[in-house]
Amino acid sequence: MELVVKPFGDLTPWELYELLRLRVDVFVVEQNCPYPELDGRDPEALHVFLREGDRVLACLRVLPPGTAFPEAALGRVVTRDRGRGLGRRILDAGIQAARERLGAEALTIEAQTYAKGFYEAAGFRQVSQEFLEDGIPHILMRLELGAVPHKEADLCGM
């Protein structure tokens, strides 16, 4: 399994296709939620993904400060094969990419409410009341990166 971190302009056409296909498969089809998946923020983002061969198994995007929130943000966190720990691996890689590549000191995420515990386990805390985003309950969560120990591990070996 390979960890990849790339800005939008460095993605190959096939990588972009696989990222978008995974996001649409889960967020639009599986969750039965027609919404504008292509929101205009991908060109600003760092794209973090795990792949085996040409198949993307998990991904997220790291948005620079000022793109969605005043601070850096994570979004579109998704995995194809659940139960393999890929969600935690991609989340850890996204946090590290935000810290190292963007110098982020804090991260915000609009989390689907059902995933609150997943993000809390990584150190995020809820900072808003529940709200509906495209008909799905969400909450804003924030992570102070000073509270998360820096991992020296080579994420490519994950």
Side-chain angles (χ1 to χ4, degrees), residues 129-141:
Q129 296 296 317
E130 186 175 272
F131 59 93
L132 289 179
E133 181 75 25
D134 300 313
I136 296 175
H138 282 71
I139 53 175
L140 284 179
M141 299 187 81

Side-chain angles (χ1 to χ4, degrees), residues 54-111:
D54 287 338
R55 189 168 183 240
V56 172
L57 301 178
C59 65
L60 60 74
R61 63 184 185 183
V62 182
L63 299 169
T67 305
F69 299 100
E71 61 279 336
L74 298 181
R76 303 298 203 262
V77 181
V78 62
T79 63
R80 181 177 307 283
D81 300 328
R82 293 179 185 96
R84 293 180 52 190
L86 300 177
R88 182 56 194 239
R89 290 168 70 178
I90 201 68
L91 183 61
D92 288 345
I95 292 167
Q96 186 168 336
R99 178 186 284 126
E100 293 177 357
R101 302 234 185 153
L102 301 180
E105 296 178 11
L107 288 170
T108 295
I109 187 166
E110 283 186 357

